[in-house]
Amino acid sequence: HAARAQPGAPHGVQRGRQERHHRNRPPIRAGPDPDARRRPAQAARPAAGIGTEETVLMTPRKILIVDDDQKIRSLLKTYLEKNQYEVLLAHDGASFMAEFERHRDEISLCILDVMLPDTEGFTLCQSVRRRSEVPVIMLTASADETDRIVGLELGADDYLG
């Protein structure tokens, strides 16, 4: 008894069932899509209010900077704020530690000047490392390679100088 195609149905559909004559088609498998790397990624749509752009903008990334040079602090602050960072400033070690303790869980990065009037940036780096895993960048005008090595050994993530 031969199967009849439904009127108006696409080719290969019989009375609500799909014909199984497509033997060259690979079987459907559950799991990761092997072709996903070849297709452009599509952004997942988060639930309303969760992980949306508005949420991200409401919680800016905070960077704490300590430098005794007002011009450097101002320059860094201007640049970082233009790039959507919230910047906290300190002019010496004591004010840095006060700001760090006040905002410890919110800080995304610390930028430390090596030479400060009341302490060394190395000492501040050690203090930060004892309290947190926040990334630390040491900043200095000195070209001394020994300072760079010491800073990295004390836990700095990078050293600019």
Side-chain angles (χ1 to χ4, degrees):
H1 162 293
R4 288 186 172 169
Q6 282 184 311
H11 176 73
V13 175
Q14 300 174 352
R15 300 187 191 264
R17 293 189 321 224
Q18 185 171 5
E19 238 175 47
R20 299 194 183 268
H21 71 280
H22 300 289
R23 294 186 186 167
N24 293 338
R25 192 178 295 166
I28 297 172
R29 297 183 181 151
D33 182 359
D35 295 324
R37 286 174 280 158
R38 289 179 247 174
R39 290 192 304 265
Q42 294 179 354
R45 297 187 69 98
I50 300 174
T52 61
E53 188 173 325
E54 293 82 20
T55 304
V56 172
L57 293 177
M58 289 172 37
T59 56
R61 300 163 291 180
K62 287 186 183 178
I63 298 178
L64 176 54
I65 300 170
V66 60
D67 198 305
D68 58 331
D69 185 330
Q70 170 60 36
K71 288 181 182 177
I72 300 233
R73 285 194 314 264
S74 180
L75 179 69
L76 288 170
K77 179 178 172 65
T78 300
Y79 177 79
L80 292 168
E81 286 178 343
K82 283 183 182 178
N83 287 283
Q84 312 309 310
Y85 290 94
E86 183 176 334
V87 179
L88 305 170
L89 298 175
H91 63 280
D92 62 14
S95 62
F96 170 83
M97 286 311 299
E99 286 295 305
F100 182 79
E101 290 301 328
R102 186 173 12 261
H103 301 281
R104 181 191 315 193
D105 297 330
E106 305 162 31
I107 295 172
S108 302
L109 173 68
C110 291
I111 300 176
L112 312 176
D113 185 10
V114 172
M115 295 176 271
L116 296 167
D118 62 339
T119 188
E120 287 188 329
F122 301 129
T123 305
L124 295 177
C125 181
Q126 286 179 309
S127 295
V128 168
R129 274 294 153 256
R130 282 194 296 269
R131 295 166 171 81
S132 172
E133 290 298 314
V134 66
V136 174
I137 296 176
M138 303 298 291
L139 184 65
T140 187
S142 170
D144 187 5
E145 194 66 27
T146 305
D147 283 350
R148 179 181 298 262
I149 293 167
V150 169
L152 294 172
E153 286 181 351
L154 293 176
D157 294 284
D158 208 347
Y159 197 98
L160 302 174

